[in-house]
Amino acid sequence: MQKESTRLIKQVNKQLILDALHILQEGTKPELAHMTGISLVTVNALMKELLMEEEVKEGLIRKSITGRPAAVYRLNGDKKMALLVCCFEEEGKDLADLRVIDHLGEERWKGRYPIPDFQMQTLDEWTEDALQGNPAVEHVQLAMPGL
């Protein structure tokens, strides 16, 4: 039972660091420790794991007015992506916009398709187009306004 709770605490702390990096866009280990309330020693250990898991990337060294220079870390935008599908009507035609967005909110791919007679097979074909070259897609969100 103790191992399970230790693993859960570690997961929560990793997510706190990832959330902080999402807000800050980049940060040093001391900045992340300050923002999350996690000890610097724990942040250091978890950052090693996050680097190995390729969740974060190490950037440039930031010089400090006081103290030693520190490495800057940021989220790895290539690690997690989402496929967004939005169906809508434009000029009397039913259309679907598909976009692949990375972990940093950057658009990686987009496509627009007419919806003549909507079928699941059609959605599967569009999804295949979007996923080619974007294997890190973990989530699919579908928006169908008016339904």
Side-chain angles (χ1 to χ4, degrees), residues 53-70:
E53 295 165 0
E54 297 182 342
E55 291 282 346
V56 296
K57 289 183 176 181
E58 188 172 337
L60 301 174
I61 302 295
R62 185 185 297 162
K63 293 185 179 182
S64 173
I65 296 171
T66 61
R68 299 183 344 192

Side-chain angles (χ1 to χ4, degrees), residues 15-114:
Q15 192 57 53
L16 285 170
I17 291 169
L18 293 172
D19 291 346
L21 281 172
H22 191 75
I23 292 166
L24 295 172
Q25 298 199 353
E26 64 178 28
T28 63
K29 290 176 186 174
E31 290 169 343
L32 294 169
H34 177 75
M35 185 167 185
T36 61
I38 301 170
S39 75
L40 184 56
V41 172
T42 302
V43 168
N44 190 41
L46 294 175
M47 287 302 286
K48 286 180 185 176
E49 289 184 26
L50 290 168
L51 282 164
M52 286 178 44
E53 295 165 0
E54 297 182 342
E55 291 282 346
V56 296
K57 289 183 176 181
E58 188 172 337
L60 301 174
I61 302 295
R62 185 185 297 162
K63 293 185 179 182
S64 173
I65 296 171
T66 61
R68 299 183 344 192
V72 176
Y73 297 90
R74 63 180 41 231
L75 292 173
N76 180 359
D78 297 330
K79 183 67 177 179
K80 294 180 182 174
M81 298 185 193
L83 171 60
L84 311 177
V85 181
C86 182
C87 300
F88 61 98
E89 184 181 334
E90 184 176 86
E91 298 176 3
K93 295 179 183 173
D94 292 325
L95 300 169
D97 258 352
L98 281 75
R99 296 171 191 258
V100 174
I101 308 296
D102 71 17
H103 200 54
L104 303 173
E106 298 292 322
E107 186 177 275
R108 297 298 191 97
W109 180 90
K110 70 179 178 178
R112 179 171 279 188
Y113 299 91

